[in-house]
């Protein structure tokens, strides 16, 4: 009876897998084959025109085994901080808390809050304070982090941070309209995050 | 902008106050720039400079442009 079990189980799983997960997709196609065939049927003498799909680099396939290193692209509007750098781990300040990203992390899109982004490579840790942005982690262990401002921690002036925190805490208590309250709250959040970056 | 009180999704406080994500992100970035140490702070403030000119068109002709600029007029 148990000899039939693998066969029965295999049949059951193949029926249920009608759609594959996005993490298991093969490399994306570089041209639309149905378009090309339909064109050839109607106009066999002229080559089919290239579609935007053929100009794009195809999505690389998800490797079958987890890669050893994470490839990080960390970009700012005016500069690219890290371009395709291979690292062991990145800790990103997501709105849901500090998130550690290792090679083989599930594909995720995370909104970032003001906080510290740390890049771990062997024994070196590089920390940046990020103002806000997004992190896109792809299934093939490539992480793209985009931020508007990111500074190494030693460029932050503690006196200005304390002053800003005091100013905005006071503005928060005197704010009247929703918009003023929101701006004061943002000020308090950013300055407290800067403060804990300096002390932590 | 409609308030999010009636929807079931949890919205961030700035969205509830009528601010867009870009406004929020730019405010955060300018606050961080204002807290930098000296040589970096002046470099960063040059990045915040904005210069654009907007002109409305009527009858196929551009009207007087409104110019928003942080650089002194030449």
């Amino acid at each position: 009876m148990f000899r039939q079990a693998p066969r029965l189980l295999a049949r059951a799983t193949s029926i249920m897998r009608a759609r594959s997960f996005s993490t298991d997709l093969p490399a994306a196609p570089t041209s639309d084959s149905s378009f090309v065939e339909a064109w050839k049927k109607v106009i066999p003498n002229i080559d089919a025109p290239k579609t935007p799909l053929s100009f794009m680099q195809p999505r690389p396939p998800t490797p079958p085994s987890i890669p050893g290193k994470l490839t990080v692209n960390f970009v700012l509007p005016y500069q690219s901080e890290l371009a395709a750098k291979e690292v062991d781990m990145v800790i990103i300040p997501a709105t849901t808390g500090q998130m550690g990203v290792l090679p083989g992390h599930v594909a995720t899109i995370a909104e970032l809050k003001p906080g510290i982004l740390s890049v771990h490579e062997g024994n070196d840790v590089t920390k940046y304070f990020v103002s806000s942005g997004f992190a896109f982690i792809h299934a093939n262990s490539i992480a793209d982090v985009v931020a508007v401002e990111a500074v190494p921690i030693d460029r932050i002036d503690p006196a200005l941070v304390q002053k800003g925190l005091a100013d905005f805490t006071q503005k928060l208590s005197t704010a009247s309209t929703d918009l003023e309250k929101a701006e004061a709250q943002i000020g308090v959040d950013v300055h407290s995050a800067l403060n804990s970056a300096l002390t932590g | 902008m409609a308030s999010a009180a009636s929807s079931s999704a949890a919205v961030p406080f700035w969205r509830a106050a009528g601010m867009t994500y870009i406004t929020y992100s730019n405010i955060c970035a300018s606050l961080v720039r204002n807290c930098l140490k000296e040589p970096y702070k002046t470099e960063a403030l040059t990045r915040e400079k904005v210069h654009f000119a907007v002109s409305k068109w009527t009858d196929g002709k551009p009207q007087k442009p409104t110019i928003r600029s942080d650089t002194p007029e030449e």
Side-chain angles (χ1 to χ4, degrees):
Chain A
M1 174 177 63
F2 287 121
R3 271 196 307 149
Q4 309 296 341
R7 185 172 58 85
L8 291 170
L9 281 173
R11 223 169 15 139
T13 50
S14 60
I15 291 170
M16 290 193 297
R17 268 196 71 211
R19 232 185 269 158
S20 50
F21 296 119
S22 70
T23 46
D24 298 335
L25 287 171
T30 45
S31 63
D32 191 352
S33 53
S34 51
F35 171 73
V36 172
E37 283 159 14
W39 177 278
K40 284 204 168 38
K41 273 195 210 122
V42 182
I43 316 170
N45 294 337
I46 307 180
D47 284 332
K50 282 176 143 198
T51 53
L53 199 54
S54 58
F55 289 99
M56 282 174 56
Q57 277 192 336
R59 173 183 54 228
T62 313
S65 64
I66 299 179
K69 295 265 202 195
L70 183 68
T71 313
V72 177
N73 301 314
F74 180 27
V75 294
L76 305 173
Y78 51 89
Q79 181 183 328
S80 97
E81 284 287 337
L82 302 171
K85 181 155 189 246
E86 306 246 321
V87 298
D88 297 323
M89 173 169 75
V90 174
I91 301 187
I92 62 177
T95 45
T96 52
Q98 298 286 111
M99 185 192 291
V101 181
L102 291 156
H105 197 281
V106 66
T108 314
I109 299 180
E111 182 190 341
L112 304 179
K113 65 179 180 210
I116 302 182
L117 175 97
S118 45
V119 179
H120 298 247
E121 166 65 17
N123 283 332
D124 307 318
V125 179
T126 321
K127 291 191 183 180
Y128 299 91
F129 184 86
V130 164
S131 67
S132 64
F134 284 90
F136 302 90
I137 302 155
H138 304 284
N140 50 7
S141 293
I142 297 184
D144 297 317
V145 183
V146 295
V148 180
E149 267 297 335
V151 294
I153 313 271
D154 51 18
R155 292 190 192 177
I156 305 176
D157 186 347
L160 291 172
V161 172
Q162 295 299 344
K163 180 163 162 303
L165 187 55
D167 280 345
F168 280 98
T169 320
Q170 195 216 10
K171 273 190 209 167
L172 187 55
S173 52
T174 61
S176 46
T177 66
D178 259 356
L179 193 56
E180 276 176 34
K181 277 191 212 147
E183 286 177 4
Q185 183 66 49
I186 296 174
V188 169
D189 285 346
V190 172
H191 285 98
S192 342
L194 278 163
N195 215 355
S196 38
L198 288 170
T199 54
Chain B
M1 195 169 292
S3 121
S6 51
S7 75
S8 55
V11 291
F13 62 88
W14 39 268
R15 175 82 62 187
M19 204 187 279
T20 62
Y21 180 79
I22 299 187
T23 317
Y24 165 71
S25 185
N26 284 336
I27 292 178
C28 288
S30 62
L31 291 173
V32 171
R33 283 186 201 119
N34 282 330
C35 289
L36 295 178
K37 287 185 183 159
E38 213 12 80
Y40 308 112
K41 187 170 179 179
T42 37
E43 285 170 23
L45 291 180
T46 57
R47 264 185 248 129
E48 274 193 359
K49 290 197 188 299
V50 171
H51 179 100
F52 64 81
V54 178
S55 23
K56 289 199 192 299
W57 289 62
T58 53
D59 297 332
K61 289 187 183 44
Q63 305 307 308
K64 181 110 184 17
T66 48
I67 302 186
R68 154 97 196 268
S69 172
D70 289 338
T71 56
E73 297 296 338
E74 297 297 334

